[in-house]
Amino acid sequence: MKNMFISDLHLEPESLYIVDLFIDFLLSASAKSNNLFILGDFFEVWIGDDDNSPFNQKVVSALQKATQQGLKIHIMHGNRDFLLGKRFFRETGCQRLPDEYVINLAGRPTLLMHGDTLCTADLSYLRFRKKTRNWFVQKLFLLKPLRKRQEIAMKMRAASMAHTQTVTQEIMDVTLAEVERVMSKHCVQDLIHGHTHRPAVHHFPLNDKPATRTVLAPWHKEGYVLVYDSEGNNDLLVLR
Ligand SMILES: [Mn+2]
């Protein structure tokens, strides 16, 4: 049995190569009882489960096939695809993970997160997040026609790009105090997250014991899968 971790694929119709890399990977990973954890920003944008574009259908049916073959797929919301909803999870057979989720990784409790909430210095993003995670705001958005939602999503994307160009690199990275707070809250020494697009394994002391923070790599031109075997040995699979 293997546990596999990926995040930040940012799948969109413009990056068909990455989509095909992912679908090929799914076919090879679909052996029974393997777990695949997708830690957010799987899609570049998701404006509602009723968006039946050919692109969305292609990804949904690939996920469906994989779960039917026995692969357990767990998906966490990112800051771009947080509208992945009940219908998506029902149709694909994937399981939704809450924003903070602890798994037992070969005997070690390990916290999984997307990572956006760790960037506490980015106050304007956190304000935006609070607003868009409100169920009432989401309901109102989902009631709008698809065309209108597409327009709004495009405007938000442009605003987000402008924002990331004005704030400093430090502000967009995680805050160590917040990392320590969340890890202590869940009583873990190991954390795996994505979001920052700064792949690394950080070693640091936490509550007088060694701790690790593993940051997953985004899929730009290649795919990256962090694979743990049942003994807890890990390996980085690079897909081209
Ligand atoms: Mn993100």
Side-chain angles (χ1 to χ4, degrees):
M1 191 201 77
K2 285 184 209 153
N3 288 303
M4 298 171 281
F5 301 89
I6 60 177
S7 76
D8 302 277
L9 281 73
H10 295 273
L11 298 184
E12 57 180 337
E14 289 74 26
S15 61
L16 275 181
Y17 175 69
I18 291 294
V19 180
D20 289 340
L21 262 189
F22 174 71
I23 292 176
D24 284 349
F25 159 70
L26 269 188
L27 290 174
S28 68
S30 294
K32 273 214 161 46
S33 79
N34 280 347
N35 282 298
L36 173 64
F37 295 90
I38 303 176
L39 301 186
D41 288 353
F42 177 53
F43 289 99
E44 173 68 8
V45 64
W46 190 261
I47 57 171
D49 295 353
D50 55 338
D51 181 3
N52 288 324
S53 67
F55 173 76
N56 287 355
Q57 281 178 22
K58 180 177 171 170
V59 179
V60 164
S61 73
L63 292 169
Q64 197 179 57
K65 218 172 274 166
T67 56
Q68 279 166 359
Q69 281 169 12
L71 181 67
K72 296 189 200 84
I73 308 180
H74 316 263
I75 304 184
M76 192 177 272
H77 282 162
N79 52 301
R80 296 187 168 275
D81 52 9
F82 57 85
L83 283 176
L84 287 170
K86 284 202 182 96
R87 178 165 151 193
F88 169 84
F89 286 100
R90 194 177 55 238
E91 284 178 2
T92 57
C94 298
Q95 269 207 319
R96 200 200 137 183
L97 293 183
D99 291 345
E100 295 170 10
Y101 190 72
V102 178
I103 59 162
N104 180 331
L105 197 50
R108 289 182 72 94
T110 302
L111 176 62
L112 309 180
M113 297 177 76
H114 176 55
D116 55 331
T117 55
L118 297 170
C119 305
T120 52
D122 194 349
L123 295 174
S124 68
Y125 168 68
L126 289 178
R127 271 196 301 274
F128 167 82
R129 187 183 198 276
K130 200 171 171 198
K131 207 187 292 173
T132 51
R133 299 299 171 97
N134 178 297
W135 70 270
F136 187 67
V137 172
Q138 291 189 357
K139 266 243 138 60
L140 284 180
F141 179 78
L142 290 171
L143 281 173
K144 292 180 198 296
L146 271 174
R147 262 217 111 89
K148 186 78 199 155
R149 279 182 259 160
Q150 266 154 2
E151 255 172 52
I152 296 172
M154 257 164 67
K155 274 186 200 150
M156 281 180 167
R157 206 164 148 190
S160 151
M161 271 165 74
H163 173 67
T164 50
Q165 275 162 12
T166 53
V167 298
T168 63
Q169 293 293 310
E170 290 73 42
I171 284 177
M172 285 193 299
D173 204 355
V174 303
T175 310
L176 190 57
E178 180 61 11
V179 169
E180 294 176 345
R181 189 192 69 77
V182 182
M183 290 179 76
S184 301
K185 182 178 96 180
H186 289 283
C187 303
V188 297
Q189 298 298 118
D190 300 287
L191 164 66
I192 301 175
H193 71 83
H195 180 67
T196 60
H197 295 198
R198 286 165 210 203
V201 182
H202 301 276
H203 296 268
F204 57 102
L206 176 69
N207 302 320
D208 300 322
K209 279 181 278 178
T212 66
R213 176 170 70 90
T214 302
V215 189
L216 299 173
W219 292 35
H220 286 319
K221 293 199 171 70
E222 296 170 334
Y224 301 92
V225 187
L226 178 63
V227 185
Y228 277 81
D229 67 15
S230 44
E231 269 89 61
N233 305 306
N234 67 60
D235 205 3
L236 186 69
L237 191 64
V238 181
L239 311 169
R240 299 187 169 92

